[in-house]
Amino acid sequence: MSIGTIPTSHLNGHGLTQKLKIAVVGAGYWGPNLARNLKASPDWELVAICDLDVERGLRLAETVGGVAVVESLDELLDTYNLDAVAVATPAHTHHGVVMTALRAGKHVLVEKPLADSRAKGLEMVEEAKSKGLVLMADHTYCFTPAVLKIQELVSTGALGDILYVDSVRINLGLVQPDVNVFWDLAPHDLSILDFVLPGGLHPTEISAHGADPLGTGRDCVGHLTFGLPNDAMVHIHVNWLSPTKIRQMIIGGSKRTLVWDDLNPQQRLSVYDRGVSLEQQPRSAADRKTSAISYRLGDTWSPALQEREPLGQVVAELAASIRNHTMPRTSGESGLRVLSVLEAVTQSLGTDGQSTIVAGNEVTLQVAR
């Protein structure tokens, strides 16, 4: 990184980069993870914790060196000179918190999903753009060594053309009070696909089927499908009711197939040089139908991965984007693409799984790689 790209406000008297100042808004489930990584980061000075539950905020503050605790967002923004805020509050509050921070001139990191509707997410993205501020979605999985390696293998063509993606994210999980299983679990898979697929996540239409066998009032089991170019298909299975926890994604390519098993630390990634091949490379669809098919039986290998905490990479990415005036790899636009699919899921569920057009695909938003 060139010093010349760093705003002078971020340099100390010796020309070295000063730490950026940040506060965490929300001390519940995810806030402590953000606070711990920000405290340990060489890029950030954690200034304060903001939470409506002051006692909870104080307990978190004690674990990160006794930083200040405030009850209201207005008090936080009025009292402290911050560069950014990290938002870890319920999804239905994201729009109000993020818009307030952006209007105060603060960069924002916000946990998934970006908002609870596409319209609110779009307003957030446009506000950040109009003010020249960084709005970053905390799609933490995209910063894991495994997903970074997957993105590399896809982008370099090691897998060939993508033929299908099959993702399973199931466990015996907590039934959420305000969202169904799609909105709870599928953002992980959708954000990963947005990160690794060439050009990002741009399905034109999707189909979703859900079930509520417990009578909770929200789907606890779900299946989502949508197409990719060249008649490829994506299938995502999410489930709160499974006694077995599975976190697996298979990406089948014309050259190789990749299997990611996130619960196998000894071999998270496996690449199979096995698959189905056409004996010739037919020029037309009609030729393909008459071409002979053969089976390719090659080697299997597992890429070496350097284990590190992905959230540490998230906060480093946020700092780099602010200093270099660049779009983060999981930008607000990325979060908006995920929201567009989730809203289409909701519409499809309401029509018993009929295909639903995904909003926003008339405009292509590029992902910063």
Side-chain angles (χ1 to χ4, degrees):
M1 180 174 60
S2 169
I3 291 293
T5 64
I6 303 175
T8 56
S9 60
H10 294 150
L11 300 177
N12 62 22
H14 302 287
L16 300 175
T17 306
Q18 288 183 330
K19 287 189 173 184
L20 299 166
K21 297 181 185 296
I22 195 169
V24 172
V25 181
Y29 170 71
W30 196 242
N33 296 320
L34 282 168
R36 174 171 50 82
N37 279 273
L38 289 165
K39 181 66 176 180
S41 172
D43 297 304
W44 292 101
E45 177 187 346
L46 180 59
V47 173
I49 306 294
C50 177
D51 197 284
L52 294 173
D53 186 337
V54 175
E55 291 300 319
R56 183 170 64 181
L58 287 170
R59 289 194 297 270
L60 174 55
E62 289 177 1
T63 69
V64 288
V67 300
V69 176
V70 296
E71 183 177 3
S72 77
L73 182 61
D74 288 339
E75 180 185 357
L76 175 73
L77 297 174
D78 290 343
T79 305
Y80 299 97
N81 182 23
L82 302 171
D83 294 290
V85 296
V87 179
T89 60
H92 71 272
T93 69
H94 286 180
H95 177 263
V97 173
V98 171
M99 291 296 288
T100 299
L102 291 172
R103 287 165 179 162
K106 312 304 178 187
H107 305 283
V108 179
L109 171 68
V110 58
E111 70 170 324
K112 65 85 183 172
L114 186 70
D116 62 352
S117 75
R118 184 182 183 277
K120 292 178 182 178
L122 181 59
E123 188 178 358
M124 292 155 59
V125 168
E126 291 177 340
E127 182 72 17
K129 184 177 180 180
S130 70
K131 287 187 161 48
L133 295 168
V134 172
L135 174 61
M136 180 176 175
D138 183 6
H139 293 161
T140 309
Y141 267 106
C142 298
F143 294 86
T144 61
V147 174
L148 289 169
K149 188 64 177 181
I150 294 171
Q151 197 274 335
E152 175 190 327
L153 292 170
V154 172
S155 65
T156 59
L159 304 183
D161 296 329
I162 303 301
L163 305 179
Y164 67 90
V165 178
D166 199 346
S167 186
V168 180
R169 186 173 297 274
I170 65 176
N171 58 271
L172 197 60
L174 178 66
V175 176
Q176 300 295 323
D178 55 346
V179 295
N180 63 25
V181 69
F182 289 102
W183 281 78
D184 182 40
L185 297 183
H188 294 302
D189 305 277
L190 294 171
S191 64
I192 291 165
L193 291 175
D194 185 68
F195 188 77
V196 304
L197 291 176
L201 186 66
H202 294 286
T204 55
E205 58 184 281
I206 64 94
S207 178
H209 296 267
D212 177 24
L214 298 183
T216 64
R218 58 194 61 84
D219 292 310
C220 299
V221 181
H223 293 266
L224 163 64
T225 58
F226 56 86
L228 295 176
N230 301 319
D231 206 29
M233 173 174 278
V234 172
H235 172 251
I236 298 172
H237 174 203
V238 288
N239 187 342
W240 279 332
L241 307 182
S242 169
T244 302
K245 185 174 183 178
I246 300 176
R247 297 283 185 270
Q248 187 177 82
M249 180 179 288
I250 304 173
I251 302 178
S254 57
K255 294 181 180 178
R256 298 174 183 87
T257 295
L258 179 146
V259 177
W260 171 35
D261 184 352
D262 193 45
L263 301 183
N264 183 357
Q266 284 73 42
Q267 189 171 328
R268 294 193 193 278
L269 292 185
S270 300
V271 180
Y272 295 83
D273 190 10
R274 306 180 200 170
V276 176
S277 300
L278 296 178
E279 290 187 353
Q280 306 177 32
Q281 292 297 323
R283 296 182 180 181
S284 68
D287 290 337
R288 278 192 212 101
K289 292 179 181 178
T290 59
S291 296
I293 292 176
S294 63
Y295 294 92
R296 186 179 67 256
L297 300 175
D299 295 332
T300 302
W301 60 284
S302 180
L305 301 174
Q306 181 182 358
E307 294 296 333
R308 59 178 183 266
E309 185 163 10
L311 197 49
Q313 305 302 309
V314 171
V315 299
E317 176 85 0
L318 176 64
S321 296
I322 292 170
R323 287 173 170 149
N324 297 332
H325 304 287
T326 55
M327 183 181 292
R329 285 178 287 182
T330 56
S331 61
E333 284 87 344
S334 172
L336 189 60
R337 287 191 289 274
V338 170
L339 279 180
S340 296
V341 175
L342 290 173
E343 283 210 343
V345 165
T346 299
Q347 294 172 25
S348 180
L349 291 172
T351 58
D352 295 324
Q354 292 184 25
S355 293
T356 301
I357 301 298
V358 180
N361 283 322
E362 66 276 4
V363 178
T364 300
L365 299 171
Q366 296 298 324
V367 181
R369 297 295 188 191

